[in-house]
Amino acid sequence: MTIQFQPTALVGAIALALGSSSSVFAETATTAKTSLETIVVTATRSEQNIQDVPARISIIEPHIIEQSPIAQFSDLLRSEAAINVVQLGGYGQQTSIFMRGTDSDHTLLLRDGVRLNNEASGATSLSFLDTTDIQQIEVLKGPASVLYGTNAIGGVVQIISKTPQKSGAFVTAEVGEHGTYKSLIGADFAENGVFAQVRGQRLESDGTKISDHADAIASNYDQKGFSAKVGLEKETYGVSLDYSENQGTSVYQGFDWGSDAYVNKAHAFENNITTLKAYAQLNPTLRADARVSRFEDRLEQLKSFEITEYTANEYELMLKQQLGSQQNLSVGVTHKDLETETNKTSSSFAQQLDTTGYYIQHQYQSDRLNTQVGYRVEDHDKYGSHEVAQAGARYHFSPSLSVYSNIGTAFKAPTVNDLYYGSSANPNLKPEESMSYELGFDQQLNSAWSWGGSVYQTDIDNLIDYAAVSPWNLDNISKARMQGAEAFMHWAQDDYFLKTSYHYVKATNEKTDTELLRRPRQTLSISAGLENAQYGLSATVIAKSKAKDWDTAQRTPGYATVDLHGYWNVNPNIKLFSNIQNVGDVNYKAAYDGSVDGVYYINGGRLASAGVTFKY
């Protein structure tokens, strides 16, 4: 990279930034600003007021996402107290999320209903996701396999993309430390229900050291992407076609057991999503929604011959029948066929899998009581059929006080790699299964103050792990239990706000009575500031306790970071903004790297940046 971050730019960033990172406001349920008007779709697959959902759900809103184009997708999730983000270094490095203490592959990631979990490995390439075209992010906590199938044991994180509401164009640029910059360009058209959108982005960073070993070097990253959308929205019908692609390269270091040394590696990535969606109001009480999508994910190791390609085609149809004024019934079918292929100098691998899910959901909605009951059958062409069910209810004692409870089962199907790839694969693996219980409340104390909390327990059976005896292949050998609680309190008056959220979880292996890896028991998030249509200043603190890592001898220390944000709308066409992520430059340890010399992956440290948006 040729761009350099100048000291004057850093001074400007600090002068502007007196507020929080792009993840502030992750907990927005039942606040004075959003409770009555916030609409979510993840909980029921259709629009619903967040105050009526019989589960804990939070929103990361558009103005938060737009605070810093440089921010990674993982940065947007960090202040969600129920999620532990583990990133092995800075930009472009491997990232996992642990929702409510469950495994990193127990959270389903969606983009407008399209599954982004690579079911060859079970993981999602969070570090390779672009944040350019996001309207809001919905975080649904708790089991959701009835509506979404595999992976949704801990919950669902869904990206809702933007749909143009008016015509216009914009250009945004942000530059920061470590030779980091991002530029965006976009245009929208919307008239009489017809809309079109186009976006382009480019991000580069010289990067930072990803581990604390003596010879570590900075690991650079570059990314570019394009997206386009066109559609028609009418009261009784609509159709849209959406395409997005994202590609780049990431440099990293890893321990090589053959040479007993750290070696430099790099990989090139490319992913794209094509989605065709349509809806029709067949009569006053019956609506049909359909989707056809294709997700392609390609990863190539640049310093050794290894190319992994994954393709998933999905087909979905849902019918929603209104039964009188207070009840509705939804039935749906989803079909997915996937292909995965890994080409290497030896041990190449290819496999295909098909799965079909059938679900039914009933909802009752009145002024005081909202209920949701569902059931799903999943037919998998390798392990057969699997069934899950869920029931929940929220009761409003008054317009300002409600309680909710839910119970549900969920599952995580064995991945293609678990079943067939490598010497440890086991084609006889069964799905991991869970049972979850939750009880919570939300209360608006007055026009300024609100608070809420919940307690939950999740039990997981048939956890897939390596057997303790020869031949040490994968098997359903473990059981786990997650017991936790969440609480939040928000205050907002005029332009000022204060938001706090706290999460506690105890995650244990029930067979060995030991802690599960990389699950800090406590997380605290506090944000405060002021914002209005012209300017805003805010700050957020995120603190986590220590966590077990690797074995009983290794523990990842706890840490606390402070993020700052500021913006100024100079006029309707120009916006200036600045951010300082991790203002104290805290180089906290993210995870033990598994080598013999006690090396830890570390975070990327401070990133101060400043930017401008011109819009028309």
Side-chain angles (χ1 to χ4, degrees):
M1 290 178 54
T2 57
I3 189 169
Q4 299 292 323
F5 187 82
Q6 301 297 329
T8 54
L10 176 58
V11 172
I14 296 174
L16 278 172
L18 293 173
S20 67
S21 74
S22 56
S23 55
V24 179
F25 300 148
E27 275 291 350
T28 59
T30 68
T31 63
K33 284 187 175 182
T34 62
S35 61
L36 296 179
E37 301 300 329
T38 299
I39 302 298
V40 295
V41 298
T42 305
T44 62
R45 283 187 176 267
S46 58
E47 292 186 350
Q48 184 179 23
N49 280 331
I50 194 171
Q51 65 171 356
D52 296 329
V53 175
R56 182 64 64 200
I57 186 168
S58 57
I59 306 298
I60 302 172
E61 296 180 291
H63 66 283
I64 305 304
I65 298 167
E66 294 169 359
Q67 284 181 359
S68 177
I70 279 179
Q72 304 170 92
F73 183 75
S74 57
D75 294 331
L76 300 176
L77 300 178
R78 289 188 186 277
S79 70
E80 170 50 66
I83 295 178
N84 184 39
V85 178
V86 178
Q87 185 162 0
L88 307 184
Y91 270 103
Q93 303 306 313
Q94 181 180 332
T95 306
S96 302
I97 57 175
F98 299 82
M99 176 94 76
R100 285 187 164 183
T102 58
D103 279 351
S104 58
D105 56 2
H106 288 166
T107 298
L108 178 61
L109 182 63
L110 303 171
R111 183 183 186 273
D112 296 330
V114 180
R115 302 175 64 90
L116 301 185
N117 294 62
N118 183 319
E119 291 172 58
S121 63
T124 305
S125 298
L126 292 172
S127 55
F128 302 154
L129 294 177
D130 178 35
T131 61
T132 301
D133 184 37
I134 300 178
Q135 172 67 23
Q136 68 181 31
I137 300 171
E138 300 182 4
V139 181
L140 175 64
K141 289 165 271 190
S145 284
V146 166
L147 293 179
Y148 298 106
T150 182
N151 295 98
I153 290 178
V156 176
V157 175
Q158 176 155 216
I159 298 168
I160 309 296
S161 67
K162 295 179 180 178
T163 298
Q165 302 298 315
K166 62 181 181 179
S167 299
F170 74 92
V171 176
T172 295
E174 185 176 10
V175 60
E177 293 179 287
H178 317 304
T180 304
Y181 77 90
K182 187 171 185 178
S183 56
L184 310 172
I185 186 169
D188 296 333
F189 170 81
E191 187 173 335
N192 297 326
V194 178
F195 63 86
Q197 179 189 85
V198 64
R199 297 282 188 272
Q201 59 91 8
R202 180 64 187 264
L203 167 69
E204 290 192 10
S205 178
D206 288 340
T208 58
K209 295 180 179 181
I210 68 172
S211 70
D212 58 3
H213 77 87
D215 299 323
I217 64 170
S219 300
N220 60 71
Y221 178 73
D222 70 82
Q223 178 190 58
K224 58 183 178 181
F226 166 81
S227 66
K229 181 184 295 185
V230 61
L232 172 68
E233 283 190 347
K234 296 294 185 179
E235 185 176 351
T236 57
Y237 65 91
V239 63
S240 65
L241 178 63
D242 185 4
Y243 175 79
S244 64
E245 67 176 32
N246 190 38
Q247 57 183 293
T249 58
S250 177
V251 176
Y252 63 101
Q253 289 181 315
F255 187 78
D256 180 63
W257 290 94
S259 61
D260 194 30
Y262 287 88
V263 297
N264 297 330
K265 302 180 180 180
H267 50 226
F269 63 89
E270 181 178 352
N271 56 69
N272 62 76
I273 306 170
T274 306
T275 306
L276 175 64
K277 300 171 71 173
Y279 67 88
Q281 193 71 41
L282 302 177
N283 61 48
T285 62
L286 179 62
R287 173 179 166 127
D289 287 86
R291 173 175 60 87
V292 178
S293 61
R294 182 180 180 89
F295 173 49
E296 297 180 291
D297 194 15
R298 186 179 190 273
L299 188 66
E300 178 181 358
Q301 300 293 334
L302 297 179
K303 298 194 175 184
S304 62
F305 178 66
E306 181 176 335
I307 301 174
T308 299
E309 296 178 297
Y310 171 83
T311 302
N313 297 306
E314 290 185 279
Y315 311 89
E316 180 177 70
L317 175 65
M318 186 181 80
L319 299 175
K320 184 175 182 179
Q321 176 70 55
Q322 194 68 34
L323 305 173
S325 61
Q326 296 181 321
Q327 300 183 67
N328 64 74
L329 186 70
S330 299
V331 295
V333 57
T334 61
H335 176 79
K336 177 180 62 201
D337 61 74
L338 64 89
E339 300 179 7
T340 181
E341 182 176 352
T342 298
N343 293 308
K344 304 170 65 175
T345 53
S346 62
S347 303
S348 293
F349 169 75
Q351 186 61 243
Q352 293 181 307
L353 285 177
D354 291 347
T355 180
T356 304
Y358 310 88
Y359 62 88
I360 183 170
Q361 174 186 258
H362 176 271
Q363 288 180 272
Y364 173 82
Q365 298 172 317
S366 68
D367 291 340
R368 289 186 176 271
L369 179 64
N370 293 267
T371 67
Q372 182 177 334
V373 180
Y375 172 79
R376 183 186 187 97
V377 177
E378 189 96 353
D379 286 332
H380 193 284
D381 69 353
K382 299 300 181 183
Y383 63 74
S385 296
H386 197 77
E387 301 175 16
V388 289
Q390 187 169 1
R394 181 181 286 271
Y395 184 77
H396 293 266
F397 288 99
S398 68
S400 61
L401 173 63
S402 66
V403 297
Y404 73 89
S405 178
N406 62 64
I407 180 173
T409 58
F411 73 101
K412 161 66 173 58
T415 67
V416 176
N417 291 356
D418 291 340
L419 292 168
Y420 301 111
Y421 186 44
S423 59
S424 61
N426 181 355
N428 297 315
L429 289 171
K430 298 179 292 184
E432 299 173 329
E433 301 174 323
S434 72
M435 173 68 80
S436 297
Y437 314 85
E438 182 173 2
L439 179 65
F441 76 95
D442 297 276
Q443 184 178 19
Q444 188 76 39
L445 296 172
N446 52 43
S447 62
W449 287 95
S450 63
W451 71 311
S454 58
V455 293
Y456 65 88
Q457 177 172 306
T458 298
D459 293 307
I460 305 177
D461 293 327
N462 296 330
L463 273 178
I464 297 172
D465 205 344
Y466 292 97
V469 297
S470 180
W472 298 289
N473 60 326
L474 291 169
D475 206 350
N476 298 99
I477 62 171
S478 298
K479 297 180 65 176
R481 170 168 289 181
M482 294 81 189
Q483 296 175 306
E486 295 184 53
F488 71 88
M489 179 167 283
H490 298 161
W491 171 83
Q493 187 167 336
D494 298 326
D495 296 340
Y496 300 92
F497 67 88
L498 170 67
K499 299 173 182 286
T500 67
S501 59
Y502 171 80
H503 180 254
Y504 172 90
V505 63
K506 180 182 179 183
T508 57
N509 183 319
E510 290 294 280
K511 287 198 172 183
T512 61
D513 194 27
T514 58
E515 291 181 76
L516 296 179
L517 305 183
R518 300 178 180 175
R519 275 78 158 183
R521 288 208 178 181
Q522 300 183 77
T523 298
L524 176 65
S525 177
I526 304 173
S527 61
L530 67 94
E531 61 172 14
N532 55 44
Q534 186 173 3
Y535 60 87
L537 303 169
S538 53
T540 189
V541 177
I542 301 171
K544 292 184 177 291
S545 62
K546 63 184 179 180
K548 178 183 176 182
D549 204 323
W550 192 254
D551 59 29
T552 55
Q554 300 291 343
R555 299 190 73 85
T556 301
Y559 65 89
T561 60
V562 179
D563 300 332
L564 308 176
H565 171 69
Y567 68 88
W568 175 32
N569 288 306
V570 180
N571 57 47
N573 303 111
I574 301 175
K575 178 182 180 179
L576 302 176
F577 59 90
S578 184
N579 300 276
I580 307 179
Q581 296 182 30
N582 191 4
V583 65
D585 200 17
V586 179
N587 287 304
Y588 60 84
K589 296 177 178 179
Y592 182 56
D593 80 341
S595 64
V596 295
D597 50 4
V599 170
Y600 277 83
Y601 292 105
I602 58 175
N603 69 308
R606 186 191 65 203
L607 177 60
S609 62
V612 59
T613 295
F614 300 97
K615 55 185 177 180
Y616 169 76

